[in-house]
Amino acid sequence: MRIDLHCHSTASDGTDTPAELVRNAAAAGLDVVALTDHDTTRGYAEAVAALPAGLTLVTGAELSCRLDGVSMHMLAYLFDPEEPALFAERELVRDDRVPRAQGMVAKLRELGVPITWEQVARIAGDGSVGRPHVATALVELGVVPTVNDAFTGDWLADGARAYVPKHETDPFEALRLIKGAGGVAVFAHPAASKRGRTVPESAIAELAAAGLDGIEVDHMDHEPATRARLRGLAAELGLLATGSSDYHGSRKTCVLGEYTTDPEVYGEITRRATGAFPVPGAGGAGSGAGAGAGTRADV
Ligand SMILES: [Zn+2]
Ligand SMILES: [Zn+2]
């Protein structure tokens, strides 16, 4: 059973529509795929409607958080998307995305880059605008060769020349909101140091004590030694260890299923969640823990 628990669609900053994402996931041989767009559940309905037989969809989101000035991402799985407190917080984060991206455009223009808001808005399309869209504009303009090259201290990395901070949720508050909505919380790429500063292990221990369910261990931004260290930390703290591609379509280099989550860990996530159930693809064959599950009001 192949399980990829972290993927983005055009509902945030991926390049596959939600329908394309689930079709591509099935074509990549996945049995379970999670849709975890940044701070939105907007892609759910389309993904569910297009879900191929044999593929199970885990609904989720990746919440933008900040701890002691350090940006971090919290994956939330199988929460009730209608739960008002979590919904309100996601809105607050999302409403900030446009002014923030506009702020980055203004800073880049001050640096002499001929970027425009119209260009970034065109690249974002219907998606919720974010740094990868600004980075794509820099590639279009020939300022940097690839999107990854824009995520450096020269341009858009945390604290870089054109960086603008955004409203981000305190992760302890995020845990309360996710739990309150019946969801399961996994700290995404906790040691992805290429993206900027990361939180110390002591903070992961505090989050674990506050109800964090797991950490994403196998991720493209973690070197093998980092993964080994995180796996040990997860065992020590009693946390689930997940793996996932953090797929963004053609915007980033990773492919669906590049890293995957152990079926036992996945089973434990589905057992802990009470806000929504995994959705088996039409045809009913389903797979693993998702098979036969009800689909409550999670679309
Ligand atoms: Zn992330
Ligand atoms: Zn992500």
Side-chain angles (χ1 to χ4, degrees):
M1 204 160 118
R2 298 187 69 226
I3 301 156
D4 188 342
L5 290 183
H6 183 169
C7 299
H8 297 272
S9 76
T10 50
S12 63
D13 57 0
T15 59
D16 288 2
T17 64
E20 287 166 346
L21 172 66
V22 292
R23 283 197 288 267
N24 288 337
L30 290 173
D31 301 290
V32 178
V33 69
L35 178 63
T36 53
D37 277 306
H38 295 285
D39 305 297
T40 184
T41 59
R42 214 154 60 77
Y44 285 14
E46 185 186 323
V48 170
L51 199 59
L55 179 69
T56 293
L57 178 72
V58 169
T59 51
E62 186 174 18
L63 307 181
S64 307
C65 296
R66 177 185 298 252
L67 181 63
D68 298 332
V70 178
S71 287
M72 53 171 283
H73 290 169
M74 187 76 80
L75 290 160
Y77 296 115
L78 300 172
F79 57 87
D80 174 1
E82 312 270 326
E83 197 282 321
L86 180 54
F87 188 87
E89 180 62 22
R90 284 187 283 117
E91 292 264 282
L92 201 60
V93 172
R94 266 207 322 273
D95 287 350
D96 189 48
R97 291 183 86 93
V98 167
R100 176 184 184 234
Q102 287 172 333
M104 288 190 276
V105 167
K107 284 195 167 187
L108 286 165
R109 291 185 66 86
E110 277 169 30
L111 291 168
V113 176
I115 190 172
T116 63
W117 170 245
E118 288 68 30
Q119 182 190 10
V120 173
R122 169 180 56 75
I123 292 165
D126 289 339
S128 53
V129 65
R131 255 192 298 185
H133 299 124
V134 180
T136 301
L138 292 180
V139 175
E140 277 187 7
L141 292 165
V143 174
V144 290
T146 70
V147 164
N148 281 345
D149 292 305
F151 282 83
T152 63
D154 281 342
W155 301 109
L156 297 173
D158 288 2
R161 297 187 300 171
Y163 176 74
V164 175
K166 60 179 167 181
H167 172 82
E168 292 164 312
T169 309
D170 175 89
F172 292 92
E173 174 66 6
L175 285 177
R176 278 191 292 277
L177 292 169
I178 293 165
K179 299 286 156 165
V184 175
V186 172
F187 187 169
H189 44 76
S193 50
K194 285 181 232 170
R195 295 164 176 244
R197 285 166 61 211
T198 57
V199 305
E201 285 190 5
S202 58
I204 299 178
E206 284 168 30
L207 289 165
L212 180 70
D213 292 286
I215 54 176
E216 194 176 48
V217 170
D218 293 310
H219 184 280
M220 60 177 167
D221 290 349
H222 293 158
E223 301 295 331
T226 303
R227 286 180 221 156
R229 175 172 65 76
L230 289 172
R231 212 178 301 285
L233 183 67
E236 195 183 307
L237 296 173
L239 293 169
L240 303 170
T242 67
S244 39
S245 66
D246 202 354
Y247 176 72
H248 280 73
S250 60
R251 188 154 278 130
K252 292 191 180 179
T253 52
C254 60
V255 296
L256 280 161
E258 187 164 331
Y259 298 101
T260 56
T261 293
D262 185 279
E264 280 186 28
V265 171
Y266 168 62
E268 184 58 28
I269 288 172
T270 61
R271 275 190 292 278
R272 290 185 191 183
T274 56
F277 296 104
V279 184
S287 56
T295 58
R296 237 179 87 178
D298 54 358
V299 294

